[in-house]
Amino acid sequence: MKTIFRNIFTGLMLAGSFVMVNGQFLAASDTSENSVKKYNDIINANKEIVEFIEYSLVQKGLPKHLRNLALIESHFNRNITSGAGAVGIWQFMTAHANQYGLTEQNRTDVYKSTKTAVVSLANLYRKYGDWITVVAAYNCGEGNIAKAMESAGSTQYHIFSKYLPGETINHVKKYLNACYATGELQSVLSNYNSSRLNKVFFTEGGSGRNAEVSLQETEINAGFNLGIIADELKVQVNEILAWNPGIEDELQKKGESPLYLPTDLMPDFLLRKNKILLRSIKEGNRVQQ
């Protein structure tokens, strides 16, 4: 009974808004006073460099919180070299630097390396559309991001991240912690929420409605019955499953899951979301009981 009421409550919360990532998937993992003090002490000890970085970011239309990438990469130490050979405050590898015309020697140049990093970050954002994925790609490279997305069948960081190197996952955690320390975490997560809900997905092959259909994303929990969703939207359950491979396992294991629907059906689902949930509960059929 408690589970049913919890699902009703959670579902009603979801029905009012389909932005639930902040509390469900991504958050700062270290909000201790020591962590906050550590990050802010490093920033305060490097004010001139930080101000130049922020100025360069704003000039390019990028958010100031990206200064935290240099913070976690190098603590703003221009002379640092990683075990893998990354150099400078932005920890450029030789290949990455050469890609943007930055010479190997200039990786330690704060001015030139920052200008290069800003261009690189802007390009990554144009490609991925959210800063969390950008931070991950900056750390492990676009090739690893592509492989992880393909393995997960998703472009959403909180889904494909399990296929990334452990170092990259920890890097993103550090970034979120640093943004918490600088009071910018909510902005980063809001950007991620907005991006993931506006992305368009395509499925290829098949016939009829499933062929090359654009999909949008929302969230549901296990209180929703897929059959009732299909009934309310006048589609077949197998269509719901085709748009959402693995959704039944996800709902059973985690109690919640992204739900992908064609762009033309999403407004209808959102309008009926309360009704669908209440119908699901009333008819007593939780998904995959």
Side-chain angles (χ1 to χ4, degrees), residues 100-143:
Y100 287 93
L102 182 70
T103 66
E104 191 166 350
Q105 294 76 16
N106 283 337
R107 290 183 293 168
T108 59
D109 185 301
V110 173
Y111 177 84
K112 292 179 180 178
S113 66
T114 295
K115 293 299 184 182
T116 301
V118 167
V119 173
S120 175
L121 292 168
N123 287 342
L124 289 173
Y125 189 75
R126 277 192 287 272
K127 181 172 184 176
Y128 298 116
D130 75 85
W131 294 117
I132 289 175
T133 304
V134 167
V135 170
Y138 191 91
N139 177 261
C140 69
E142 297 171 55

Side-chain angles (χ1 to χ4, degrees), residues 226-227 229-231 233-243:
L226 297 182
I229 293 175
D231 183 59
L233 297 179
K234 311 300 182 190
V235 297
Q236 300 297 314
V237 174
N238 61 2
E239 290 184 280
I240 300 287
L241 295 175
W243 298 321

Side-chain angles (χ1 to χ4, degrees), residues 55-265:
Y55 173 77
S56 300
L57 290 167
V58 170
Q59 270 197 322
K60 194 70 175 179
L62 305 184
K64 289 183 179 180
H65 64 69
L66 288 172
R67 135 264 297 147
N68 292 339
L69 185 54
L71 166 63
I72 65 171
E73 289 279 359
S74 66
H75 292 185
F76 305 111
N77 182 351
R78 73 186 72 190
N79 297 314
I80 193 171
T81 300
S82 74
V87 173
I89 64 172
W90 293 99
Q91 290 291 278
F92 274 107
M93 297 292 287
T94 299
H96 189 186
N98 290 343
Q99 181 182 350
Y100 287 93
L102 182 70
T103 66
E104 191 166 350
Q105 294 76 16
N106 283 337
R107 290 183 293 168
T108 59
D109 185 301
V110 173
Y111 177 84
K112 292 179 180 178
S113 66
T114 295
K115 293 299 184 182
T116 301
V118 167
V119 173
S120 175
L121 292 168
N123 287 342
L124 289 173
Y125 189 75
R126 277 192 287 272
K127 181 172 184 176
Y128 298 116
D130 75 85
W131 294 117
I132 289 175
T133 304
V134 167
V135 170
Y138 191 91
N139 177 261
C140 69
E142 297 171 55
N144 281 323
I145 296 295
K147 291 176 184 176
M149 288 180 174
E150 183 178 0
S151 296
S154 173
T155 60
Q156 308 301 302
Y157 175 83
H158 69 276
I159 296 175
F160 73 72
S161 59
K162 62 184 178 182
Y163 296 100
L164 293 175
E167 177 190 345
T168 300
I169 295 172
N170 287 332
H171 204 65
V172 171
K173 288 181 179 179
K174 288 180 183 178
Y175 191 79
L176 296 179
N177 290 340
C179 288
Y180 175 85
T182 57
E184 297 163 307
L185 179 61
Q186 187 58 49
S187 174
V188 175
L189 295 181
S190 294
N191 166 265
Y192 180 74
N193 289 337
S194 176
S195 171
R196 66 193 291 270
L197 294 171
N198 288 328
K199 284 179 179 176
V200 177
F201 304 85
F202 296 89
T203 56
E204 298 180 356
S207 58
R209 191 168 201 154
N210 285 326
E212 298 182 357
V213 61
S214 62
L215 303 178
Q216 290 186 338
E217 181 190 7
T218 184
E219 297 284 335
I220 63 170
N221 63 27
F224 286 84
N225 181 294
L226 297 182
I228 292 174
I229 293 175
D231 183 59
E232 288 286 336
L233 297 179
K234 311 300 182 190
V235 297
Q236 300 297 314
V237 174
N238 61 2
E239 290 184 280
I240 300 287
L241 295 175
W243 298 321
N244 298 272
I247 189 172
E248 294 170 305
D249 288 340
E250 188 86 357
L251 288 169
Q252 187 175 36
K253 292 177 181 177
K254 297 184 179 179
E256 60 191 5
S257 172
L259 173 69
Y260 299 105
L261 292 171
T263 302
D264 61 328
L265 289 182

